Amino acid sequence: MRNRHGTAVDTHAAAEEVAKRNRATADAYRTYVMPHTETLLASARGAMDRMPPARHHAGWAARLDCLQHAADQIQQILAETPPDSESETTHDRYQAVWPLLVMWAEHASTACDLGDQHRAPAAAVLSGDELRERTEMARAARASGRLVPYESWYDADQRLITIAVLQHEDETYTAVALAGDPDSPDVQVLGHYGDELEAIDASPPPVPAGVLHPGASRYAERVHAPEISFQVLIQEAHEARRASDLAEAIETVADRYGTGRGQLVRLEEFVSICAQFAQALGTQHAQRVAGRLSALASQFGALTAELREAGEDLGSTVAVLPPHRTPLAHRLPRISRPAIPTTIPATAPPANTPAYRR
């Protein structure tokens, strides 16, 4: 059982929920992943051996080693665990497998992307006059807004590959594969194709994408402070009678130091992280977006400070709303009553009932 903030309040039910999750995930791994782990890891390592050296290869190799270790441990534990057993020992084994399964969920994409390096060879780079003509056409189209990026990735040679749609002057369209920043003078056209999917299939395959913060994990345990939604705060503002009531709601939104930081503060943090991400992309267009996002984050910071100060000033008035602002009385629902009989029963009153006298 969970409360409205998502926190488990029934510990026994929560433990049963975790046990079911562990078993279901382990069974899925046993059926769909475990038969292919050795082939996948071998394919990924083989692809790395053929790549030009790069500093990030050490990180990829470390992830593959972790996946191999986790696969060995999972296989050993599951081999000792009957699938249909419900014993306490079985639950403990599934619990021990869980962090290893998390490892695979988090990093298996690295092995898959590396293994995909074995697919069709990359498209040959154009040469001579055709290369210059196609590249100049793409640059002109980009400058006039007729070259729209569709998808991008990095290849094994650390080149940024972008698939884009190029609109010609006669209103026809062509998919092109570009190497390099689309806004850079060094960009080159690798090939031109009938559609985006054809361009993707003929282009160098993607290597694993990077992350903004190496220590971040989507599966990390998070401690969530109870949050108050904006809708609740708006309702509190509607119902407020004293300045202190509204000042408290404002403080909730603009709180920068409490355990559950305010919505505006978290919005500022979110926009700042978005700016960091855009900056880390490295392309010229992304750099411009990063500048806009950084400016927005600064504006949110200033807005939060201004709102907090206004809330403090409002609370210091210790004022209340004047009594002429009377709330509307709630309409009571109509209650249906039984019909009153129009004729007096013919039966006489009981013998022990005294007659009424004037």
Side-chain angles (χ1 to χ4, degrees):
M1 183 183 300
R2 297 179 180 273
N3 61 18
R4 65 189 183 94
H5 302 302
T7 304
V9 294
D10 186 334
T11 55
H12 179 71
E16 288 186 347
E17 183 179 330
V18 169
K20 290 179 181 178
R21 176 206 66 183
N22 294 344
R23 174 185 287 274
T25 308
D27 289 343
Y29 178 91
R30 189 201 313 256
T31 303
Y32 301 108
V33 181
M34 194 162 66
H36 311 288
T37 54
E38 292 301 326
T39 301
L40 177 61
L41 293 174
S43 177
R45 289 195 174 94
M48 281 188 60
D49 291 339
R50 291 193 298 273
M51 288 182 182
R55 62 179 181 178
H56 47 265
H57 286 188
W60 291 348
R63 276 191 246 175
L64 295 179
D65 290 343
C66 289
L67 288 173
Q68 183 69 68
H69 175 74
D72 294 342
Q73 294 295 311
I74 294 172
Q75 184 172 4
Q76 179 179 347
I77 294 173
L78 293 185
E80 302 169 352
T81 307
D84 55 351
S85 174
E86 294 291 345
S87 67
E88 190 68 28
T89 301
T90 298
H91 290 316
D92 291 343
R93 286 174 177 168
Y94 282 131
Q95 179 64 39
V97 162
W98 172 253
L100 303 172
L101 297 172
V102 167
M103 166 69 71
W104 264 89
E106 187 122 50
H107 299 301
S109 61
T110 297
C112 293
D113 288 342
L114 290 173
D116 197 39
Q117 298 298 309
H118 296 283
R119 70 173 173 84
V125 178
L126 302 177
S127 60
D129 293 339
E130 187 178 9
L131 171 61
R132 286 190 294 272
E133 179 185 350
R134 294 286 179 178
T135 299
E136 288 301 325
M137 183 186 301
R139 290 174 183 167
R142 180 62 170 169
S144 61
R146 293 183 294 107
L147 183 70
V148 181
Y150 175 78
E151 188 172 350
S152 67
W153 61 84
Y154 281 89
D155 71 354
D157 292 320
Q158 303 184 53
R159 297 179 303 176
L160 177 63
I161 305 298
T162 301
I163 305 302
V165 178
L166 190 154
Q167 178 184 358
H168 299 281
E169 295 179 356
D170 60 356
E171 300 298 324
T172 59
Y173 295 87
T174 301
V176 295
L178 308 172
D181 185 346
D183 295 303
S184 168
D186 298 327
V187 67
Q188 286 189 333
V189 174
L190 297 180
H192 49 94
Y193 309 92
D195 58 43
E196 299 90 331
L197 296 181
E198 182 184 349
I200 291 173
D201 289 340
S203 298
V207 297
V211 294
L212 184 60
H213 297 294
S217 170
R218 71 179 60 188
Y219 299 100
E221 294 292 335
R222 296 173 174 86
V223 178
H224 293 286
E227 296 180 359
I228 301 177
S229 70
F230 259 121
Q231 186 56 47
V232 171
L233 294 170
I234 291 171
Q235 187 64 29
E236 289 183 358
H238 280 304
E239 299 171 356
R241 299 193 174 196
R242 297 169 177 78
S244 58
D245 297 336
L246 197 55
E248 185 176 349
I250 291 176
E251 172 60 26
T252 299
V253 174
D255 182 20
R256 187 177 291 276
Y257 305 106
T259 55
R261 292 181 299 164
Q263 287 89 336
L264 275 183
V265 178
R266 285 184 278 121
L267 181 58
E268 176 191 351
E269 180 182 5
F270 170 74
V271 176
S272 295
I273 294 173
C274 292
Q276 294 174 26
F277 183 92
Q279 183 74 25
L281 290 175
T283 65
Q284 294 184 27
H285 184 68
Q287 301 289 316
R288 293 192 290 271
V289 175
R292 292 167 55 192
L293 290 170
S294 295
L296 281 173
S298 298
Q299 293 175 30
F300 281 127
L303 176 63
T304 301
E306 181 67 22
L307 179 63
R308 188 187 308 109
E309 184 177 341
E312 292 172 354
D313 288 345
L314 181 63
S316 67
T317 65
V318 296
V320 298
L321 292 174
H324 70 267
R325 305 184 70 88
T326 305
L328 295 175
H330 293 288
R331 281 192 176 183
L332 297 177
R334 284 183 171 275
I335 302 176
S336 58
R337 290 181 172 82
I340 300 175
T342 57
T343 57
I344 299 175
T347 55
N352 60 348
T353 303
Y356 180 81
R357 299 178 185 274
R358 288 185 179 274

